Amino acid sequence: VMNILMQGVFVGIAWFNFLEPDVDAQTMRQDAFRWRRSSAHSLSEYDAVSRMSLAERVCTGDKSLHLSGVQMGLIEDIGKYLKPTKEGLETYFAGPVLCMVALICWYMMVGKEVSHALGLHRGLLAI
């Protein structure tokens, strides 16, 4: 009973929090493109001190930005999840691998429960 309750909580958390991605095709294509065309490469947003456009400052992770905090946060979150600059063993300890490990553990737990339920069913039918 406790296992079924925990699985229900796990499914509920996944369903209500992770079903719709924060970054989807519409965000990447339309919103990011509009930001690039309107602000990112605008001459008014060019920084004469660093000699970089707003887009370049966001992509390099410039912490002195006063604009485009959402884009900066999005780039940081994607980088933390994917870890594209890491090499060697550390590349295997990134977000996608953690997701796969969690899913495999959950599938194994569900498989074990199904196996126990089928065993109980076979036992009841033998009576």
Side-chain angles (χ1 to χ4, degrees), residues 1-11 109 113:
V1 175
M2 187 63 162
N3 196 354
I4 293 172
L5 179 66
M6 292 304 292
Q7 289 182 31
V9 169
F10 182 80
V11 169
M109 201 168 83
E113 281 297 312

Side-chain angles (χ1 to χ4, degrees), residues 9-75:
V9 169
F10 182 80
V11 169
I13 290 170
W15 183 269
F16 290 112
N17 294 302
F18 303 119
L19 196 59
E20 294 183 22
D22 291 337
V23 179
D24 58 2
Q26 193 267 342
T27 302
M28 294 307 291
R29 288 190 187 111
Q30 294 177 350
D31 295 347
F33 185 70
R34 187 178 40 205
W35 174 77
R36 283 186 61 207
R37 291 190 69 197
S38 66
S39 301
H41 295 290
S42 173
L43 188 58
S44 64
E45 302 301 334
Y46 180 78
D47 184 33
V49 175
S50 65
R51 296 180 184 216
M52 291 192 282
S53 68
L54 181 60
E56 190 174 1
R57 293 174 67 200
V58 166
C59 290
T60 58
D62 187 355
K63 299 293 185 192
S64 67
L65 284 173
H66 65 286
L67 297 170
S68 300
V70 172
Q71 287 81 10
M72 182 79 156
L74 186 59
I75 293 286

Side-chain angles (χ1 to χ4, degrees), residues 60-125:
T60 58
D62 187 355
K63 299 293 185 192
S64 67
L65 284 173
H66 65 286
L67 297 170
S68 300
V70 172
Q71 287 81 10
M72 182 79 156
L74 186 59
I75 293 286
E76 286 177 354
D77 289 345
I78 291 170
K80 286 177 186 175
Y81 183 76
L82 295 176
K83 296 188 181 219
T85 60
K86 302 300 178 186
E87 295 178 0
L89 189 62
E90 194 172 352
T91 58
Y92 296 106
F93 295 99
V97 176
L98 175 64
C99 180
M100 291 301 295
V101 168
L103 286 172
I104 289 170
C105 288
W106 186 66
Y107 290 145
M108 290 174 67
M109 201 168 83
V110 169
K112 182 179 174 185
E113 281 297 312
V114 169
S115 175
H116 285 292
L118 289 174
L120 177 65
H121 180 67
R122 277 185 240 126
L124 290 173
L125 288 178

